[in-house]
Amino acid sequence: MRRFLRATMLAAGLMAAIPAMAAEPPPLVIGSGNILGVYFPTAGAICRRVREAGGDAAPPCRELSSAGSMFNLSMLRRGFPLMNMAVVQADTLYHAVRGEGAFERDGPDRATRSVMAMATEAFNIVARSTGFGEGLSSLRGLRVSAGASGSGLQPTVDAALAAAGMSRDDFRAIRDFSANDQAFQLCRNAVDAFFFVAATPSASIQEATTSCNSTLVSPGAATVDRLVDRFAYYLPVTVPGGVYRGNPDPVATFGVPAILVTRANMPDDVVYTVVKSVMDDLPAIRRLHPALAGLEAGEMVPKPELAPIHPGALRYFREKGLLE
C-alpha cells in the first residue's frame, strides 16, 4: 500500500510539473538564407539582441542557414521543429499567405504572422564586363542565373520580367545557381549575368565586382514604376555609386523588405520580447551589420497587406505609438 501511495504521489508530482514545463518559452530558431546573404547575419543580429537584452532570462536563440524564403515559409507551415521564426522576402510572404504562384498547390497559408520589417533589399542585375544599356531588355539573348530553386529570388525575377514585357524565353539560357555560387559562375563565364536580391553592400556582388569586371544594370525606370505602382511589397531603391568596384554611378532599381515572421501559435510574450529586444535599442542592432545601419522604427512595422501582424508584435507597436 505504501509503495502504491508513493507511486501515486510521484505520478501526481510529474503531472503537476508538465504544465510548468510547457509554459517555458520555446527556444528560438530563426531560419534565414545562405551565409553570404543578409538574412543570415540579420537572424544572428536578432538573436544577439535577444540574448543581450534578456540576460539569463532570455530564451535560447540561434540563426539557421537555409535555402531561402520559400523554403523557410514551407518549413514554418508544416510545423517542423527545425525553425519557428524566419526572415523572408515580403513578396514571397504575400504570395504564400494567399496561396498564389509557387504556393498555389498548398493553398492560402492562414497561420503565418509577420513580426518586424527589417532591411530593404535591392533587386540587383550583375553583368560580366561593361557597356550594358539600361533595362532588362539589354540582357535579351544572354545566359543568366536566376538563383536557386526554392529561393524567393525566382518569383521576384519573374515579376520583374513581366513588368518589362519579357519572359524567361527571352534568354539563351537560364540557370539556377545558388546565391553563394553566382559570382563565381559569372566570373568563370558560365553565365553573362545574374540576378540577386540583397541589402547593400552585398558580399556576393562585392565578390563579382572584385574578381572580374562586372557592372550593375538598372531594370529600367518604366519597369520599376510598374512594379512599385502595382505591388504593395516593392519600393523604389537606389544602390549608391562607389559601393562596388568599377561602379561609380548610382543605379536605380526596386527593393523588397525582409520580414521576420513566425506562426500564429507562437506565444505572444515571446514575440513581444523579440520585438522589444531589437527596437528598444536600435543603435545596437545597427552596429551589427552594414545592411541594418539604416533601420528606423517607423519603417519596421510590417504592412498588414502582406500578412496579419502577430499580436505580440502589435502590442509593442501600439505601446510605442507606431500603430493605433
Side-chain angles (χ1 to χ4, degrees):
M1 182 67 176
R2 290 178 182 173
R3 190 173 298 171
F4 172 77
L5 287 173
R6 283 198 298 270
T8 302
M9 292 173 65
L10 177 61
L14 289 172
M15 292 298 292
I18 288 175
M21 293 173 63
E24 292 182 2
L28 301 177
V29 183
I30 305 178
S32 57
N34 76 88
I35 59 175
L36 290 179
V38 72
Y39 286 6
F40 186 76
T42 294
I46 293 168
C47 280
R48 180 170 171 177
R49 287 299 306 135
V50 168
R51 291 190 294 267
E52 290 174 346
D56 293 340
C61 184
R62 68 183 181 91
E63 66 273 34
L64 180 70
S65 178
S66 79
S69 298
M70 293 176 66
F71 175 85
N72 293 344
L73 289 164
S74 177
M75 294 292 285
L76 286 175
R77 179 168 188 158
R78 284 156 178 77
F80 291 166
L82 183 64
M83 67 176 71
N84 51 19
M85 302 187 89
V87 183
V88 302
Q89 284 184 206
D91 52 350
T92 309
L93 172 63
Y94 180 94
H95 295 307
V97 167
R98 288 156 183 77
E100 299 173 349
F103 302 95
E104 186 174 2
R105 178 178 295 181
D106 292 334
D109 180 350
R110 305 188 189 283
T112 290
R113 298 290 182 264
S114 58
V115 176
M116 280 185 298
M118 304 300 292
T120 295
E121 300 181 289
F123 179 80
N124 298 278
I125 305 169
V126 186
R128 191 167 49 83
S129 192
T130 57
F132 280 83
E134 181 178 289
L136 277 161
S137 60
S138 65
L139 303 181
R140 277 194 170 97
L142 300 183
R143 304 162 300 160
V144 302
S145 173
S149 299
S151 73
L153 174 59
Q154 294 213 349
T156 309
V157 170
D158 289 333
L161 291 175
M166 296 173 60
S167 73
R168 291 174 177 241
D169 293 337
D170 287 304
F171 302 115
R172 176 152 56 106
I174 190 161
R175 307 293 298 275
D176 58 354
F177 294 125
S178 65
N180 57 3
D181 195 33
Q182 291 195 123
F184 172 75
Q185 298 295 345
L186 179 78
C187 290
R188 69 182 289 266
N189 197 25
V191 291
D192 302 301
F194 70 83
F195 302 106
F196 194 44
V197 173
T200 304
S202 157
S204 290
I205 299 174
Q206 287 175 329
E207 179 186 353
T209 54
T210 55
S211 299
C212 58
N213 290 329
S214 305
T215 187
L216 268 64
V217 179
S218 170
T223 297
V224 171
D225 289 344
R226 290 188 197 104
L227 289 166
V228 172
D229 289 345
R230 182 176 178 186
F231 301 109
Y233 40 75
Y234 291 140
L235 303 168
V237 171
T238 298
V239 178
V243 172
Y244 302 114
R245 187 185 74 86
N247 288 266
D249 299 321
V251 177
T253 182
F254 66 96
V256 56
I259 309 293
L260 179 67
V261 299
T262 190
R263 299 296 282 173
N265 61 2
M266 178 66 83
D268 292 1
D269 288 348
V270 174
V271 175
Y272 178 86
T273 296
V274 171
V275 179
K276 180 177 174 63
S277 299
V278 171
M279 297 190 63
D280 271 5
D281 192 355
L282 282 180
I285 199 166
R286 290 184 189 125
R287 292 191 293 267
L288 296 180
H289 192 275
L292 305 176
L295 288 180
E296 297 291 342
E299 298 172 358
M300 295 176 70
V301 180
K303 291 183 178 181
E305 302 98 308
L306 303 177
I309 302 175
H310 193 284
L314 282 173
R315 175 186 157 198
Y316 179 88
F317 297 142
R318 287 169 176 158
E319 284 181 359
K320 297 300 181 180
L322 299 172
L323 272 180
E324 294 183 1

